[in-house]
Amino acid sequence: MRITKEISGRHDLFEYVGKVVIEKERIDDNIHLNNAHYFSICEAQRDLFMKSCGIDKDAIRKNLGLRIVIAGNGNFKFIDEVFEGDKIEIHTSAEVVLAHLQFSQHMIREGVEVFNLQCKIAVIDAGGKSKELPKEEIIDRINQANYPFLRRP
């Protein structure tokens, strides 16, 4: 399946869905998903998407000589508890902006949102200065990628 390059007619916004089942190892003493795992699950989905498109941290370092950082403030909201065995979908939209990728992620259990996270990923050079992402090249890479669990808008 190819990544659809449009949501509401935009060519720089992409949406996809990943699925996970919550394992016992992610559960804390309060018998629910440990707070840190909400973030690690979302990060893993972002990394998987970026790697499948050839724009992961290793590719950006190798091809552009830059490294990825979280830019600015991230926003998150815990809405409901998640438990062992829960089947979760992570709905992610990725917007290619001039100097970063803007991600909005929503964890969904049985059709109900339980957590959401928004963050920006930017690139910096070896000296720590912010650099512009090659927007059209990244859009082209995403459009050429095969991402197996993309949800078509």
Side-chain angles (χ1 to χ4, degrees), residues 17-111:
V17 176
K19 297 179 181 182
V20 297
V21 176
I22 304 302
E23 305 104 346
K24 183 177 183 173
E25 296 76 29
R26 293 183 182 263
I27 302 301
D28 64 18
D29 291 340
N30 295 311
I31 313 171
H32 59 224
L33 183 64
N34 181 281
N35 291 348
H37 288 291
Y38 288 86
F39 296 97
S40 64
I41 289 168
C42 286
E43 182 176 29
Q45 292 299 309
R46 284 193 315 269
D47 289 348
L48 180 60
F49 169 72
M50 292 175 71
K51 185 171 185 152
S52 73
C53 299
I55 56 171
D56 61 305
K57 63 182 182 234
D58 294 329
I60 286 176
R61 185 177 297 123
K62 180 181 175 185
N63 298 331
L64 302 175
L66 303 170
R67 67 184 178 95
I68 293 176
V69 295
I70 298 292
N73 295 328
N75 297 305
F76 64 91
K77 184 176 182 181
F78 293 100
I79 300 165
D80 198 2
E81 295 177 295
V82 174
F83 301 98
E84 179 184 350
D86 281 354
K87 294 175 180 152
I88 303 294
E89 290 184 343
I90 300 87
H91 295 245
T92 302
S93 63
E95 180 179 2
V96 183
V97 183
L98 189 61
H100 63 269
L101 290 168
Q102 173 74 40
F103 286 93
S104 178
Q105 297 180 280
H106 304 269
M107 289 181 131
I108 309 293
R109 179 188 58 222
E110 297 179 4

